[in-house]
Amino acid sequence: MDLESIPGVGEKTARALSALDDPERALRAGDVEAIATAPGISQGRAARIARGAIRLEHDDPGGFLATDRAREVYRELLGRLEERTVTDYAAQRLETIYPSPRRSRIEEVQSFAADALEREPEPAVLAALEGVEPLREPGDVRVRERCLATTDAERYSEAREAIPELSVEIVEDAQGLAELARGYATVIALDESFAGVTLDGDVQVRPDALETPAEVVPERPLAFFARNRDRLQAAIEVHREAGLDAPCDLAALEDGLSRLDEDGTVAGDDELDRLTTAVDDLDAAAGAAESVANDHLREAIREQDVTIEGSDLLSLVERGAGVDSLLSRELADEYAAAVEAARDHLVDALDLDQGEAEIARRAFSDEPTFPVERDEDVIGRLRDELTAAKERRAGRLKRELAADLADQREGARQLVRDALELDVELAIARFAREYDCTMPEFVGSGEHGDAGDAVGFAIEGGRSPLLDEPLEAIDPVDYEVSGVALLSGVNSGGKTSTLDLVASVVILAHMGLPVPAERVRLRRFDDLHYHAKTQGTLDAGAFESTVREFADLAEGGEGSLVLVDELESITEPGASAKIIAGILEALAENGATAVFVSHLADEIREMAAFDVTVDGIEAVGLVDGELEVNRSPVKDHLARSTPELIVEKLADEARDDRLAANGGAPDGGEPEPVFYDRLLEKFD
């Protein structure tokens, strides 16, 4: 995919996108989260780029939503869908589903939506999804106790690029390598010339190290899994609860994660835990061992009755002897017991093995002294021994765990992607269930879906999702239009809601999604022009602009759907009727589909140069002052107005009153016409 050919992507953005691991996959999948990880690209921009890539793939010209009101309806519908997502990813991913006139794009999303409708949004699955997020790279990983070494400057540059987690050092010979070994726990020599050289310390000759970085730096894959451990565990739970086919061995992945701490260290190994604790507690344990020995000696001295003859005291003084000699002569056994107690305490407190214990016991000398003190050199050697053993153990465990997890990395990525995509599917499924949706049927075989079938749209049992009412409180609407039609009806009878329903159905259908109706058939439109009701009469400039807009539409609106709500409000009623009649004539000639809501339907029909269809949302009557309305427009029927219904009601009431007052009509006929009857005649 040529990145710069994507609408809205220039050279700079293309360079940023090329930094992604797999930009083509992310763009084709509409993976907004992955696209947003490219340098300098926000999530909002990522969604626009994803839509642009989809448009490019399907040769979609864009601009289906041709007016502000059409775009408002789309955003409201999208908001309804996004409200039913659990993850931020799913909400962003839905932003890439937009209404398109292209068959290939519609069918692509329809296939996805059909699978989504098979999903069951179980509470356990939704709860598990709350912990799923897109995976994150761990950032900079630095390992300080290990280094790479080489004699070659070019090799040095390659090593720094291939394994940035380790320091890379240049040495001249084996002596330089030996000096590095004194400063690092492990030195990895990259030059084969060092093979066979024997040096103190952990020096490994690995000419292939740059080709197998996971073996040299197991911290790299471990850091990835440690950073994403909770997200992966949540994705595992989603797969199990939803019964999804897993792209990797869930048990093996779960086992690997259980052996990993949040900081990337290996967890659950008793020997490593023992060595780590021993290193951490060494100084405290040595101090406690000293106290054990000295407490033992103090108690022994208190209990000992020592008598020194004058000649012995003189001899000790002359030889410059001190308490050590006295301890050696008089308390030798007690001292030996005190030192042995100190050694045992040190070994037991640190849980040392046999080899480590041999070093630890040398920390307390057999030569009597008081107070008893540890030999810091021996303690230092013990610390080095324990630290080296700990690092060897940790290194081996890291390599083993990294080897186990490394092969799972791509599977783990797919595991999370599948869980996040499930959230998108479940949002569509929840929307479809809550609004009682069905998949629409596009009719006709032509580019606009109109060949061989004159229908523009046909909705059966539709309920507008834009109404702030429970679904059961919304009256279902049946409405079908072929060509152009006027929609008449009483105030508050539901004309605008009918337009909203039509717009919602058409937008969702062209998004490839289920629609809120029992059945829907429609042609595939090029664009949707939905003009909302204008508030007040427009000034001359705004009026001219509006007329120009309809002129452009009339000239090229063959594949358009035009919905207009009371256009007559833009100017005087008489002029409005003429203008609307002219617009309808042009749209009819071009084969567009249009519904114009108007209170001037009768006047427009008289002025139109063709037999324009007039449909009506009929008010059945007034009940307790409230209109009782049949919400489904009646075909080829001019609906009565609200004033007519009110006058009719008043006339009936007046007639009943006269009959009651006169005890019946004169000569057995009808009562004489009065004021309300004369008004009612004007509506005929």
Side-chain angles (χ1 to χ4, degrees), residues 169-213:
E169 308 287 348
I170 292 183
V171 296
E172 295 182 358
D173 49 29
Q175 183 178 351
L177 206 59
E179 291 177 0
L180 281 180
R182 286 193 285 271
Y184 289 94
T186 301
V187 177
I188 300 169
L190 302 177
D191 304 330
E192 197 168 359
S193 59
F194 287 120
V197 174
T198 303
L199 298 170
D200 292 336
D202 185 9
V203 178
Q204 304 173 14
V205 180
R206 295 281 305 273
D208 64 339
L210 303 188
E211 286 73 48
T212 57

Side-chain angles (χ1 to χ4, degrees), residues 145-382:
E145 71 272 10
R146 207 175 312 138
C147 77
L148 303 173
T150 180
T151 60
D152 183 80
E154 185 174 342
R155 187 78 160 159
Y156 169 85
S157 298
E158 292 176 2
R160 291 195 63 180
E161 183 175 349
I163 307 181
E165 297 90 346
L166 300 185
S167 295
V168 185
E169 308 287 348
I170 292 183
V171 296
E172 295 182 358
D173 49 29
Q175 183 178 351
L177 206 59
E179 291 177 0
L180 281 180
R182 286 193 285 271
Y184 289 94
T186 301
V187 177
I188 300 169
L190 302 177
D191 304 330
E192 197 168 359
S193 59
F194 287 120
V197 174
T198 303
L199 298 170
D200 292 336
D202 185 9
V203 178
Q204 304 173 14
V205 180
R206 295 281 305 273
D208 64 339
L210 303 188
E211 286 73 48
T212 57
E215 296 180 11
V216 177
V217 194
E219 292 85 355
R220 179 186 293 180
L222 294 184
F224 169 80
F225 283 98
R227 171 77 184 274
N228 296 294
R229 188 179 63 168
D230 292 345
R231 303 174 188 207
L232 289 168
Q233 288 172 332
I236 291 171
E237 184 68 15
V238 168
H239 276 69
R240 285 181 173 152
E241 291 291 346
L244 299 180
D245 292 332
C248 61
D249 187 334
L250 296 185
L253 177 58
E254 201 166 33
D255 176 68
L257 294 174
S258 71
R259 293 151 55 197
L260 190 62
D261 268 337
E262 293 181 359
D263 60 358
T265 58
V266 178
D269 183 76
D270 293 339
E271 177 62 7
L272 181 59
D273 291 344
R274 182 190 71 82
L275 291 167
T276 301
T277 301
V279 172
D280 294 342
D281 295 350
L282 178 55
D283 287 333
E290 285 180 345
S291 297
V292 167
N294 288 316
D295 289 347
H296 187 92
L297 276 178
R298 287 189 184 94
E299 187 63 27
I301 292 171
R302 289 191 188 98
E303 295 178 358
Q304 187 73 31
D305 185 9
V306 179
T307 302
I308 302 178
E309 296 181 0
S311 58
D312 292 334
L313 179 59
L314 181 61
S315 175
L316 289 171
V317 172
E318 288 175 348
R319 294 202 309 267
V323 70
D324 295 350
S325 297
L326 181 61
L327 288 173
S328 178
R329 194 188 78 175
E330 299 291 338
L331 300 171
D333 292 341
E334 287 77 1
Y335 181 83
V339 168
E340 189 64 23
R343 292 167 175 168
D344 289 345
H345 179 86
L346 184 59
V347 171
D348 292 343
L350 299 179
D351 192 19
L352 303 179
D353 65 19
Q354 184 176 352
E356 297 158 356
E358 289 180 2
I359 299 174
R361 289 184 175 278
R362 294 197 294 270
F364 296 97
S365 172
D366 290 328
E367 292 297 322
T369 184
F370 187 82
V372 178
E373 295 181 348
R374 61 184 179 267
D375 187 330
E376 289 294 351
D377 290 339
V378 175
I379 295 298
R381 287 196 298 276
L382 179 59

Side-chain angles (χ1 to χ4, degrees), residues 103-118:
R103 181 194 301 273
S104 59
R105 174 56 181 172
I106 294 171
E107 291 178 348
E108 180 179 71
V109 181
Q110 281 182 329
S111 176
F112 178 78
D115 291 338
L117 295 181
E118 299 297 321

